[in-house]
Amino acid sequence: ILGMFSELKFPVPWGHVAVKAWGPSEGHPVLCLHGWLDNANTFDKLIPLLPRDCYYVAMDFSGHGLSSHRPAGSPYHFLDYVSDVRRVAAALQWRRFTLMGHSMAFLFLSYCFMSPQFCFLYPEMVDKLILLENLGFLLAPEDTEAWLKSKRMVIDRLLSLEAKQQTPKAHSPEAALQRLLEANRHLTAEGGAILLQRGATETPAGLVFNRDMRVRTQSRESFTVEQCVKLLQKIQDRVLIIIAKDGLLVPHKLDSRNHFVKGLREAFESTLKEHIQLVEVPGSHFVHLNEPEMVSGIISNFLTAQNARPRL
């Protein structure tokens, strides 16, 4: 029964990576990756609606949910998250699996950029890629000065956080939920409560968020539209991208700075249309958590369909 899940922890040099698992362990493997400052619970409402013959593992990235924070003095780099995925796959002894990830990478620094980047680095390990409200790339700065400024900001923010060394603030359950909802206007109260179950720890003083504040300072990788297209063409198997009509990737809702999104979507809908299935559904950025029925059928069909595309 997919409503039942198990909790697992895999050791890493700085502690452990925590995961939730649903379904039969001998089933087709699907690794699920959450978005920025979220955790594995983001898939709680969706996975019970998906095919029952798959084994779904949703991991907490380092510094999120129930996973260990990286050691003191260590920044969070995107490539380190790719290694998190590789470590979990190795611990599970998975040689080939499906990747499913939520959220945009280039506007909110979320980690589903890890999904396509892992595919580029380990194409032989991924049979299908599912991106929820995510086009998979970070916008490259338009000039060298902007690039330098972004890198300097990462270092300065990290050093500032280390200098403050503030004790995590405790909140009442109501205040913690309100804080989460204010930061994520696309979340419902029910969805926020689900994320809080894994995203905060109860203490005598109240709820304390589990996330490591250093994740806000991570160093990013960025690409031009042309580079994105070339990289996407390297993915050996099928890709499903689901965009919510009231989400964060609808072209007419984007400001002029996000011409990158429009250009990338045009590439998906023209040059890459034979490689990538792009679907729009009703709902918001957290449609998979708020209204999972909107996407569960599409994802189920994609998971069960046979790969027709020849390997490159």
Side-chain angles (χ1 to χ4, degrees):
I1 301 174
L2 285 185
M4 304 292 289
F5 63 88
S6 57
E7 293 278 0
L8 304 171
K9 290 183 179 180
F10 300 125
V12 293
W14 58 91
H16 67 267
V17 172
V19 309
K20 296 181 72 168
W22 293 259
S25 59
E26 69 277 8
H28 177 76
V30 181
L31 187 59
C32 308
L33 310 181
H34 64 77
W36 187 54
L37 295 180
D38 292 339
N39 56 65
N41 277 14
T42 193
F43 298 103
D44 274 14
K45 304 278 282 185
L46 172 63
I47 288 176
L49 303 180
L50 300 182
R52 298 189 176 191
D53 57 350
C54 292
Y55 184 43
Y56 304 92
V57 173
M59 59 184 287
D60 292 329
F61 282 113
S62 297
H64 296 74
L66 302 180
S67 288
S68 300
H69 295 187
R70 293 198 179 275
S74 299
Y76 284 78
H77 293 289
F78 269 109
L79 203 57
D80 294 329
Y81 289 110
V82 177
S83 70
D84 281 358
V85 175
R86 187 66 181 85
R87 289 176 192 273
V88 169
L92 291 164
Q93 298 183 327
W94 287 357
R95 298 182 61 185
R96 190 162 170 79
F97 52 92
T98 295
L99 270 180
M100 177 167 64
H102 169 246
S103 196
M104 300 190 301
F106 45 85
L107 294 182
F108 283 101
L109 317 185
S110 76
Y111 306 126
C112 275
F113 175 68
M114 295 310 108
S115 305
Q117 184 160 328
F118 187 88
C119 292
F120 307 148
L121 295 174
Y122 296 97
E124 74 283 1
M125 296 186 70
V126 179
D127 59 10
K128 293 179 181 179
L129 175 63
I130 302 168
L131 300 178
L132 305 171
E133 268 285 285
N134 172 22
L135 296 183
F137 296 96
L138 281 161
L139 170 62
E142 295 182 355
D143 57 52
T144 302
E145 289 304 315
W147 182 86
L148 290 172
K149 182 178 180 180
S150 69
K151 297 303 179 184
R152 176 170 174 160
M153 188 179 299
V154 169
I155 297 172
D156 290 347
R157 285 180 176 175
L158 177 63
L159 296 180
S160 176
L161 280 174
E162 290 177 350
K164 293 177 182 176
Q165 293 185 337
Q166 294 177 333
T167 301
K169 186 178 179 180
H171 306 270
S172 69
E174 297 77 15
L177 178 59
Q178 185 61 31
R179 184 183 176 107
L180 187 61
L181 295 179
E182 287 175 355
N184 298 274
R185 61 184 177 84
H186 290 255
L187 268 179
T188 63
E190 180 186 11
I194 290 172
L195 291 179
L196 267 185
Q197 290 170 8
R198 196 176 188 88
T201 297
E202 188 172 352
T203 71
L207 289 181
V208 174
F209 286 103
N210 293 338
R211 62 199 182 206
D212 187 342
M213 292 305 295
R214 290 177 297 165
V215 301
R216 295 176 178 270
T217 68
Q218 80 240 348
S219 179
R220 300 174 285 167
E221 302 288 344
S222 53
F223 300 90
T224 64
V225 172
E226 291 75 19
Q227 289 172 320
C228 294
V229 171
K230 289 180 180 179
L231 287 170
L232 283 167
Q233 288 172 333
K234 289 182 177 293
I235 296 178
Q236 295 186 3
D237 292 286
R238 301 176 62 217
V239 180
L240 169 65
I241 300 175
I242 297 179
I243 303 300
K245 292 181 179 178
D246 293 316
L248 300 175
L249 290 173
V250 181
H252 71 269
K253 293 184 179 181
L254 299 170
D255 61 40
S256 59
R257 292 181 62 252
N258 292 309
H259 62 278
F260 173 88
V261 179
K262 299 175 184 178
L264 195 53
R265 281 198 55 158
E266 288 175 1
F268 288 151
E269 294 166 353
S270 57
T271 310
L272 300 173
K273 64 182 178 181
E274 295 181 1
H275 306 162
I276 297 172
Q277 180 184 353
L278 181 63
V279 181
E280 283 195 11
V281 298
S284 67
H285 185 56
F286 281 88
V287 62
H288 68 292
L289 178 59
N290 297 335
E291 301 170 287
E293 313 81 18
M294 292 293 181
V295 297
S296 59
I298 299 167
I299 295 171
S300 295
N301 291 336
F302 184 77
L303 285 172
T304 55
Q306 295 295 316
N307 277 345
R309 183 185 172 196
R311 295 175 64 82
L312 299 178

